[in-house]
Amino acid sequence: MTSLGSLYDSKGDRPELKTNMNVDYVVQYKVDSDRAEAEAGFTQLIEALTRVGLASEVRGGDESSLLVFVKVASPNYLASHIYRERVQDWLYGVRISSPNKDVGNEFANQPVTEAERLRTVYLLITKPKNEGGAGITPNVGQWKYVTSVFPLHDHPFNRQWIKQWSTKYFLNEQDLEQIRDRFGENVAFYFAFMQSYFAFLIFPASFGFSAWIVLGRYSWFYALVNSLWSIVFFEWWQKKEADLAVQWGVRGVSRIQHPRSEFKWDHEAADPVTGEAVKVYPPTKRLQTQLLQIPFALGCLTVLGALYVFCFSIEIFLGEIYNGPLKSYLTFTPTIILTGLLPTLSTILGNFAEKLTVMENYETNDAHHASLVRKLFIINFITSYTPLFLSAFVYMPFGNLLVPYFDIWKVTAEKLTSENSISTQGFHINPDRLKKQMIYFTVTAQVVNFALEFVVPYLKRKVFSKVEKVQAKGKGSAAYDVPEEHAFLERVRNEAKLDVYDVTGDFREMVVQFGYLSLFSTIWPLTPLAFLINNWVELRSDAMKIAVNSQRPIPWRADSIGPWLNALGFLSWIGSIVSSAIVYLFSGDSEGPGGDPSNIVVWGLLLSILISEHVYLAAQWAVRYALSQIDSPGLQKERAERFAMRKRTLEESLGPEVTETPLPPTPAAGEKITRESLEDEARKISTRGGGTPEQLFWLRQQGMDETIQIGRKLISNTTAA
């Protein structure tokens, strides 16, 4: 099993970690009890790979699977596909200049990166047959026995990568270029975002620490600075990701869409532009399904909100009203309930979101992914922020009014125990409740998440590996390995058991964290400092997660962070509203309304929200305008490429003379209009008889010198004004 230790210690130099045997991809093929069907499916798999120019070798996997190793049979065949992709990029406007007509010169000037190679081979494996691919879609239809298609890790690079990052505080452009060349722009954009977010956190962390000492909680000045910071970061990142897209040559690559194999078309129709027959799914049908997102959002709010309200009421009763036996243990009841039910409910709602997205039946993978992300964001928004919303806007303002309803738990407890009466105490608003919750979400939850994300999968994999070795007892496929290949094949079998890396989960984590910062950090000004420390670790743990705990990701291209950008903008905007409401309710008094809503001046609260929103919009316009005036390397590169393209187009179309600056008939260039030429023209006119007034007008003065001489005479005869 590949481990972090094997990347660092001397075993990291083992031969099986130094080579991938020129393998591009590994296809894991499952064998079940129906051997005849499995053999027929395997034959179809090898035939499909061979028809698209891919060579294959098969070896034994675990006890119930095979490993099919795939590579491109001909380097020239691969080069032709990569060249066609670059031409497609030019036709879609992704690259400004067309590829060199000489293929050899094109690849000499812009060598093929490893990500480009792996992406091209993956598309050959998975693209539909009518687009030149093998049409292999794991776990779907006739390919139900194909469980996964994954590239092998480059362990020498991973080892160097982890060692290099462990000694760095900040990533540079070269580090991001390495990630892009190995894992594709989609993953590179995540690490670029993380690095930018980490660097931007330095200011609010420093300011928040000062505010915690000097200003305290619920400071309007801190809320204002924090809101301005979120605006600057959001607007700057929009500019930064566009700049990176230009530098990486992927600006507008989202216009090149890959079709979904699961798309179910309704009918065929002629494309109004190309005239080709295209598969069509009526937009009205999709709209009918998309409208289900409204009840979906309301359903998520109802289910998750009910769970939180249920646990919230139990927590208040046990923590602040109940005073009976086992109180110190019973206070953990809401946490146990949430720990047990929340992941299950989130999984159920996530699966429902996936099914709803499938029902919407998008033609392309990108559209499907964007729609799914929007639904997942709704779920995560509710699960992440509901406890703080309940405490800030229900418990603190309405606590005293809710106390009578908590008697239901007293009655329930009396029925479940032999005691006739449960000991209680007077209810008082806990002014530290919000702060304790923020500390939990910004510190404790981050540590727990790190353990669940990195430590637990690693330990689980190690335990399962040992159990499998004990159960196998030499009966596995390894017994049939060629000795020279055994170590390499064991490494591949281990990689086949790893989880698939999904950058969406990492983006979700950072966007939720940004929401805590923009919405609720006025409660605890040390929030950005906690996130700064967490993200330094997170940046490196995510790199280790890719290198150690996950299969190597498919190097997909991207020109932005996708729909997560809209989520950032929404959180930045709503953060200004929530922060202003919290500051209005609690500034000057940590208990706020003290559990009595009559202490709230409603018109003042609404006015503060209205003013904060308008200040936000004005500040956003000012920041966006200011940033638009700043040049950047990407924009400079784009302008240079467009200028070179226009110049080359003119030269190819009209000749090089068009691009040269014409020389005027001046003495320096050799005056073309001389006295002799003018006198000769005058003689010709008189010979022909007269001349037009226009011709005679231009024969009065013979050249530049005479014009100057006559002009000087006219000046001397002119009366001064």
Side-chain angles (χ1 to χ4, degrees):
M1 179 65 62
T2 303
S3 66
L4 185 60
S6 68
L7 293 174
Y8 280 96
D9 61 21
S10 59
K11 294 182 180 180
D13 294 325
R14 293 177 305 189
E16 68 270 21
L17 296 180
K18 288 185 175 181
T19 177
N20 283 344
M21 299 292 187
N22 296 326
V23 173
D24 289 321
Y25 277 88
V26 178
V27 179
Q28 189 175 25
Y29 188 83
K30 179 180 64 177
V31 180
D32 64 3
S33 56
D34 191 343
R35 298 301 176 90
E37 186 179 7
E39 288 181 10
F42 178 76
T43 302
Q44 293 176 348
L45 172 65
I46 301 302
E47 290 177 348
L49 293 172
T50 304
R51 279 195 294 267
V52 294
L54 299 175
S56 57
E57 288 275 338
V58 64
R59 300 289 189 274
D62 55 22
E63 293 77 11
S64 60
S65 68
L66 303 177
L67 298 175
V68 180
F69 296 90
V70 178
K71 75 168 187 176
V72 178
S74 167
N76 292 333
Y77 179 70
L78 175 67
S80 66
H81 273 275
I82 293 176
Y83 185 80
R84 287 168 62 88
E85 184 185 68
R86 293 184 180 184
V87 172
Q88 183 187 50
D89 287 349
W90 173 61
L91 294 175
Y92 277 84
V94 175
R95 55 185 294 165
I96 295 172
S97 58
S98 62
N100 196 311
K101 295 180 180 179
D102 187 321
V103 178
N105 289 338
E106 169 64 21
F107 291 130
N109 296 331
Q110 298 184 25
V112 177
T113 65
E114 190 169 352
E116 195 172 19
R117 173 189 176 88
L118 290 176
R119 183 176 61 254
T120 303
V121 177
Y122 185 79
L123 290 174
L124 282 174
I125 296 173
T126 58
K127 275 198 309 187
K129 294 180 180 179
N130 60 352
E131 295 189 11
I136 297 172
T137 53
N139 302 306
V140 176
Q142 71 176 109
W143 307 113
K144 62 182 179 180
Y145 293 117
V146 177
T147 57
S148 62
V149 179
F150 62 94
L152 294 177
H153 275 294
D154 182 351
H155 285 284
F157 169 79
N158 287 353
R159 188 182 186 193
Q160 179 186 5
W161 182 32
I162 299 302
K163 279 188 174 182
Q164 188 179 27
W165 279 28
S166 63
T167 59
K168 281 187 172 184
Y169 288 101
F170 293 95
L171 307 184
N172 54 36
E173 296 294 334
Q174 184 180 2
D175 296 324
L176 296 177
E177 285 285 350
Q178 285 182 337
I179 298 171
R180 170 188 168 242
D181 291 342
R182 297 285 175 168
F183 306 118
E185 288 80 7
N186 195 29
V187 174
F189 264 113
Y190 168 71
F191 282 101
F193 173 79
M194 274 290 293
Q195 172 59 33
S196 300
Y197 181 40
F198 173 76
F200 261 79
L201 278 173
I202 294 176
F203 170 75
S206 304
F207 180 75
F209 182 76
S210 302
W212 178 66
I213 296 175
V214 178
L215 301 176
R217 292 182 288 169
Y218 311 120
S219 166
W220 68 267
F221 185 63
Y222 173 85
L224 177 63
V225 172
N226 185 66
S227 183
L228 290 175
W229 172 86
S230 69
I231 294 171
V232 173
F233 172 70
F234 173 69
E235 295 297 333
W236 183 88
W237 173 251
Q238 283 193 99
K239 184 179 178 68
K240 178 65 176 179
E241 72 172 10
D243 192 63
L244 288 174
V246 173
Q247 294 186 65
W248 293 344
V250 290
R251 180 130 187 220
V253 76
S254 56
R255 291 194 291 267
I256 302 176
Q257 302 279 331
H258 296 294
R260 282 181 67 242
S261 57
E262 298 88 352
F263 172 64
K264 299 176 182 179
W265 51 282
D266 186 77
H267 63 277
E268 288 189 341
D271 188 287
V273 178
T274 64
E276 298 176 347
V278 293
K279 296 177 175 61
V280 178
Y281 184 76
T284 52
K285 285 188 177 181
R286 181 174 295 116
L287 179 61
Q288 292 173 5
T289 310
Q290 287 174 332
L291 291 176
L292 295 176
Q293 294 183 32
I294 298 175
F296 170 77
L298 295 176
C300 290
L301 182 62
T302 302
V303 174
L304 295 173
L307 175 62
Y308 273 118
V309 169
F310 174 74
C311 293
F312 176 77
S313 61
I314 295 178
E315 181 186 0
I316 298 300
F317 174 76
L318 294 175
E320 301 177 27
I321 299 177
Y322 177 73
N323 196 32
L326 303 177
K327 176 177 179 176
S328 58
Y329 298 101
L330 290 174
T331 51
F332 290 102
T333 302
T335 303
I336 295 173
I337 295 174
L338 283 176
T339 304
L341 293 181
L342 189 58
T344 303
L345 282 177
S346 298
T347 301
I348 293 173
L349 292 174
N351 292 336
F352 185 77
E354 175 65 35
K355 291 181 180 179
L356 182 59
T357 308
V358 170
M359 289 172 57
E360 292 169 3
N361 196 27
Y362 291 99
E363 293 92 339
T364 64
N365 291 321
D366 287 347
H368 177 89
H369 175 71
S371 179
L372 178 61
V373 165
R374 286 192 290 269
K375 299 179 183 66
L376 294 178
F377 175 70
I378 294 173
I379 297 174
N380 286 298
F381 185 92
I382 297 172
T383 57
S384 300
Y385 308 132
T386 298
L388 288 166
F389 275 116
L390 287 174
S391 294
F393 302 111
V394 177
Y395 169 77
M396 302 295 276
F398 302 98
N400 292 332
L401 297 181
L402 297 175
V403 170
Y405 297 97
F406 294 153
D407 286 343
I408 186 175
W409 301 120
K410 181 180 178 181
V411 173
T412 303
E414 290 173 349
K415 289 183 178 180
L416 295 176
T417 62
S418 58
E419 298 183 14
N420 295 327
S421 178
I422 297 296
S423 177
T424 60
Q425 61 186 2
F427 173 77
H428 298 284
I429 294 293
N430 180 5
D432 291 328
R433 179 180 177 82
L434 275 173
K435 186 183 77 171
K436 290 179 179 178
Q437 282 184 307
M438 276 300 294
I439 293 174
Y440 169 78
F441 286 118
T442 57
V443 179
T444 309
Q446 301 291 323
V447 175
V448 172
N449 182 69
F450 173 79
L452 294 175
E453 188 178 62
F454 185 77
V455 179
V456 172
Y458 176 75
L459 295 176
K460 182 175 68 175
R461 195 169 64 250
K462 294 288 285 186
V463 172
F464 285 173
S465 176
K466 291 183 179 181
V467 171
E468 288 174 358
K469 286 181 180 180
V470 172
Q471 292 177 344
K473 294 182 180 180
K475 299 179 181 179
S477 302
Y480 303 99
D481 290 347
V482 177
E484 294 81 5
E485 297 178 352
H486 175 71
F488 170 73
L489 292 176
E490 280 295 290
R491 174 201 142 193
V492 176
R493 291 178 186 121
N494 290 332
E495 289 190 27
K497 298 173 185 177
L498 297 176
D499 296 329
V500 176
Y501 175 72
D502 184 10
V503 74
T504 299
D506 288 334
F507 271 125
R508 177 202 61 80
E509 184 180 348
M510 287 300 104
V511 169
V512 168
Q513 184 191 103
F514 179 80
Y516 283 123
L517 183 58
S518 60
L519 273 71
F520 301 108
S521 64
T522 52
I523 298 171
W524 193 50
L526 291 180
T527 297
L529 179 60
F531 287 158
L532 179 70
I533 297 172
N534 172 82
N535 289 355
W536 189 91
V537 178
E538 182 75 22
L539 194 61
R540 285 141 188 84
S541 67
D542 286 339
M544 288 190 289
K545 181 170 62 176
I546 293 176
V548 178
N549 283 0
S550 305
Q551 293 178 356
R552 183 173 180 172
I554 308 299
W556 292 117
R557 294 193 295 177
D559 55 6
S560 69
I561 63 174
W564 293 113
L565 183 66
N566 295 328
L568 285 175
F570 171 76
L571 291 173
S572 176
W573 167 73
I574 200 172
S576 66
I577 297 176
V578 174
S579 295
S580 66
I582 290 176
V583 169
Y584 180 83
L585 290 174
F586 299 101
S587 61
D589 186 353
S590 60
E591 292 191 16
D596 186 356
S598 63
N599 294 329
I600 301 175
V601 181
V602 177
W603 68 265
L605 175 62
L606 296 177
L607 182 62
S608 67
I609 292 175
L610 184 64
I611 292 175
S612 67
E613 184 184 21
H614 282 72
V615 170
Y616 174 89
L617 295 175
Q620 185 182 48
W621 177 87
V623 171
R624 186 173 297 174
Y625 176 78
L627 290 175
S628 67
Q629 306 304 307
I630 301 174
D631 209 350
S632 62
L635 295 178
Q636 291 175 357
K637 178 183 178 182
E638 185 177 40
R639 289 198 302 271
E641 289 179 349
R642 291 190 182 279
F643 173 77
M645 184 264 300
R646 290 194 297 267
K647 183 177 180 181
R648 185 170 60 253
T649 301
L650 285 173
E651 290 178 349
E652 292 175 354
S653 302
L654 303 175
E657 295 83 3
V658 177
T659 61
E660 296 178 358
T661 303
L663 296 176
T666 63
E671 187 179 4
K672 306 297 182 186
I673 304 175
T674 63
R675 177 180 293 276
E676 290 77 10
S677 65
L678 291 172
E679 291 178 347
D680 182 61
E681 185 177 356
R683 283 194 296 271
K684 290 179 180 179
I685 291 175
S686 62
T687 303
R688 292 195 300 265
T692 64
E694 291 81 5
Q695 291 175 324
L696 295 175
F697 177 83
W698 288 99
L699 296 176
R700 306 298 181 189
Q701 297 161 14
Q702 308 299 315
M704 176 183 68
D705 293 335
E706 188 171 347
T707 300
I708 293 174
Q709 183 179 4
I710 294 175
R712 292 174 65 182
K713 289 181 179 179
L714 292 174
I715 291 173
S716 63
N717 295 333
T718 301
T719 302

